[in-house]
């Protein structure tokens, strides 16, 4: 009887041992490779973003128009021409607006003037630059960035429709 | 203990230890050779991008110039002397009034500072003002012939001037209380102290960006 039971168990045992996964060292290697893959993907994304900006700058070096570089997290911006800084300025945005900002090149599509002077610079659906004191609808799908009055006025008159800007969120 | 129970216990022990060693991994279904190949391919892509980026960095560095340049902000009437991101001097200036004058004959002049990229073409000590036609028209005076000595006026442009071409200069002024406003006929007026620094620092060929 006992022999019969053993004989019944044996195939299951053989089946089980055949399916036992790979040895410990291969699993360790797999885990390391997966982690490496993740890190390499992140590194590649970062390198691509860096390249995107450098290609933007290279293009604007040869261009005959002024452009903006906006470092949103750092709260700084630059008005530039052919790679030279014409003006540094400070900028600010709400946390809500900051979350909507995506790194990349944008184009000035509209300059809005009001009775009391320049109001805003609209970069399509990507961004609106405005004077710090400007009021705007509370809920706005387009993220807004504010500049001090003097800086905004200087930048407003310096750039023309079609001017480029590059944002770093 | 009978052999049957011994066998079952051994079997369970093997089952437990095998599970502990192998674990249950999400990537267990990925072939390790494929994974190695993917990682290798990503490493090569990362290296390629790094090389490309270094090339771009070098190119951009070569195009960047480390020399001094001037920037005139006509909205806020400020002139800055810069070397890259370093501001060496900020001066209150006067820029074009944006007013215009019209003569009966039909000639008219708009007094605006020249926007764009200019170059310092020359430097002068004790510059002399040669009165242009508009200065007579503005005062409702008859316009004298071009070489009339009456057109030569001294001691109104300060001690120094930087020549920008087309009649425009960066020069001094007697109206220092107006610095920081739009009051000139297009030239950039600077206070004496700042003008001296500019004259002594700036070279012929220095770029001037006016916006």
């Amino acid at each position: 009887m006992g022999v019969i039971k053993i004989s019944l168990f044996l195939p299951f045992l053989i089946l089980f041992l055949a399916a036992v996964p790979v040895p410990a060292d291969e699993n360790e290697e797999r885990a390391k490779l997966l982690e490496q893959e993740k890190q390499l993907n992140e590194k590649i994304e970062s390198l691509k973003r860096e390249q995107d900006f450098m290609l933007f700058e290279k293009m604007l070096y040869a261009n005959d128009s002024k452009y903006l570089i906006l470092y949103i997290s750092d709260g700084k911006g630059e008005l530039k021409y052919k790679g030279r800084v014409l003006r540094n300025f400070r900028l600010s945005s709400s946390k809500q607006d900051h979350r909507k900002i995506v790194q990349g090149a944008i184009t000035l599509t509209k300059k809005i003037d009001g009775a009391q002077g320049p109001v805003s610079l609209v970069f399509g659906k990507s961004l609106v630059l405005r004077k710090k004191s400007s009021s705007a609808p509370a809920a706005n799908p387009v993220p807004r960035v504010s500049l001090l009055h003097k800086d905004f006025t200087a930048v407003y008159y310096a750039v023309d429709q079609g001017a480029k800007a590059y944002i770093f969120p | 203990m009978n052999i049957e129970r011994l066998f079952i216990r051994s079997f369970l022990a093997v089952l437990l230890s095998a599970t502990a060693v192998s674990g249950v991994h999400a990537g267990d279904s990925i072939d390790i050779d494929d994974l190695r190949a993917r990682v290798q391919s990503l490493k090569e892509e990362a290296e390629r991008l790094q090389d490309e980026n270094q090339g771009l960095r070098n190119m951009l560095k070569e195009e960047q110039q480390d020399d001094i340049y001037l920037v005139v902000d006509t909205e806020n009437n400020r002139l800055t002397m810069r070397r890259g991101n370093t501001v060496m001097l900020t001066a209150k200036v006067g820029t074009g009034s944006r007013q215009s004058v019209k003569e009966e004959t039909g000639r008219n002049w708009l007094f605006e500072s020249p926007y764009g990229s200019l170059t310092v073409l020359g430097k002068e000590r004790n510059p002399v003002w040669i009165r242009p036609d508009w200065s007579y028209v503005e005062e409702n005076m008859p316009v004298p012939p071009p070489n009339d000595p009456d057109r030569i006026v001294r001691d109104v442009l300060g001690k120094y001037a930087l020549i920008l071409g087309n009649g425009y200069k960066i020069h001094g002024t007697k109206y220092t209380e107006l610095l920081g406003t739009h009051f000139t006929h297009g030239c950039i007026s600077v206070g004496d102290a700042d003008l001296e620094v500019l004259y002594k620092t700036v070279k012929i060929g220095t770029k001037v960006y006016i916006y």
Side-chain angles (χ1 to χ4, degrees):
Chain A
M1 198 56 188
V3 172
I4 291 168
K5 284 182 184 173
I6 287 167
S7 311
L8 283 174
F9 269 120
L10 214 49
F12 288 106
L13 179 61
I14 292 165
L15 210 63
F16 174 73
L17 287 171
V20 162
V22 294
D25 52 354
E26 197 175 295
N27 283 318
E28 211 175 289
E29 191 193 352
R30 181 178 275 107
K32 277 186 186 162
L33 286 168
L34 284 168
E35 181 57 30
Q36 254 186 313
E37 186 183 37
K38 182 179 165 224
Q39 286 177 356
L40 282 165
N41 276 323
E42 283 168 9
K43 187 174 182 181
I44 285 167
E45 278 312 301
S46 168
L47 288 166
K48 281 181 179 173
R49 282 196 297 270
E50 190 190 355
Q51 191 174 104
D52 185 51
F53 174 62
M54 286 198 283
L55 287 171
F56 172 85
E57 278 251 83
K58 187 170 176 290
M59 176 186 72
L60 270 307
Y61 271 37
N63 205 296
D64 193 32
S65 62
K66 293 178 275 297
Y67 58 101
L68 300 169
I69 311 289
L70 307 172
Y71 303 93
I72 310 294
S73 291
D74 292 343
K76 294 178 185 174
E78 294 172 338
L79 171 69
K80 294 182 87 166
Y81 176 75
K82 290 190 185 289
R84 287 190 146 159
V85 178
L86 302 185
R87 188 186 192 89
N88 295 96
F89 52 88
R90 300 212 62 87
L91 46 85
S92 59
S93 69
S94 68
K95 278 185 190 163
Q96 205 179 6
D97 280 331
H98 192 173
R99 273 195 291 267
K100 297 179 208 164
I101 292 170
V102 174
Q103 178 172 334
I106 54 177
T107 305
L108 179 61
T109 51
K110 203 172 178 186
K111 292 173 75 167
I112 298 178
D113 223 329
Q116 291 176 348
V119 173
S120 59
L121 293 168
V122 181
F123 294 83
K125 290 181 182 170
S126 303
L127 192 79
V128 169
L129 282 186
R130 56 184 191 146
K131 264 188 300 197
K132 210 167 172 89
S133 54
S134 288
S135 59
N140 196 320
V142 181
R144 293 153 297 172
V145 169
S146 302
L147 276 65
L148 295 173
H149 179 87
K150 275 188 180 175
D151 289 329
F152 179 74
T153 314
V155 167
Y156 183 91
Y157 287 114
V159 294
D160 297 319
Q161 208 165 312
K164 298 286 184 195
Y166 198 93
I167 333 175
F168 290 96
Chain B
M1 179 185 294
N2 70 28
I3 198 157
E4 197 179 278
R5 278 188 194 153
L6 183 63
F7 183 81
I8 289 167
R9 282 179 187 173
S10 309
F11 175 78
L12 285 171
V14 167
L15 174 69
L16 282 169
S17 56
T19 310
V21 163
S22 69
V24 177
H25 294 286
D28 275 359
S29 59
I30 302 169
D31 179 60
I32 196 152
D33 288 331
D34 280 348
L35 196 46
R36 285 186 195 121
R38 271 176 15 202
V39 166
Q40 183 55 33
S41 166
L42 287 172
K43 278 183 185 170
E44 285 165 11
E45 192 183 351
E47 262 177 46
R48 178 184 59 78
L49 281 167
Q50 267 173 327
D51 286 342
E52 283 175 4
N53 286 6
Q54 189 54 49
L56 274 169
R57 240 176 259 119
N58 293 342
M59 221 186 287
L60 289 172
K61 203 172 174 180
E62 271 174 31
E63 288 187 44
Q64 253 171 19
Q65 295 150 326
D66 196 31
D67 47 358
I68 287 170
Y69 59 98
L70 305 182
V71 182
V72 179
D73 169 8
T74 59
E75 274 317 301
N76 297 297
N77 293 295
R78 293 291 186 277
L79 178 149
T80 46
M81 179 165 65
R82 306 182 73 115
R83 191 195 291 275
N85 253 329
T86 305
V87 175
M88 299 165 70
L89 171 81
T90 300
K92 249 197 228 179
V93 297
T95 61
S97 66
R98 298 162 183 177
Q99 305 289 320
S100 61
V101 140
K102 198 172 178 182
E103 196 186 32
E104 280 171 7
T105 58
R107 286 196 297 173
N108 69 79
W109 295 268
L110 172 63
F111 303 127
E112 212 172 33
S113 292
Y115 297 111
S117 169
L118 291 84
T119 306
V120 173
L121 302 176
K123 294 165 70 170
E124 292 178 304
R125 279 179 169 270
N126 301 313
V128 159
W129 185 39
I130 312 294
R131 282 185 78 168
D133 291 357
W134 55 253
S135 77
Y136 294 95
V137 172
E138 206 176 34
E139 292 178 20
N140 289 318
M141 291 167 64
V143 177
N147 297 322
D148 195 309
D150 181 62
R151 287 184 182 262
I152 299 172
V153 185
R154 299 181 192 279
D155 302 322
V156 291
L157 299 182
K159 276 188 175 173
Y160 311 102
L162 304 175
I163 301 166
L164 302 179
N166 291 323
Y168 294 105
K169 296 181 182 182
I170 296 174
H171 60 68
T173 180
K174 293 194 307 186
Y175 307 107
T176 52
E177 70 281 8
L178 293 178
L179 290 172
T181 69
H182 299 99
F183 76 94
T184 77
H185 292 91
C187 288
I188 312 298
S189 290
V190 187
D192 290 342
D194 292 328
L195 185 60
E196 186 166 352
V197 171
L198 288 173
Y199 181 81
K200 288 177 176 173
T201 315
V202 161
K203 296 179 178 140
I204 291 173
T206 295
K207 283 291 192 191
V208 182
Y209 302 100
I210 303 179
Y211 70 92

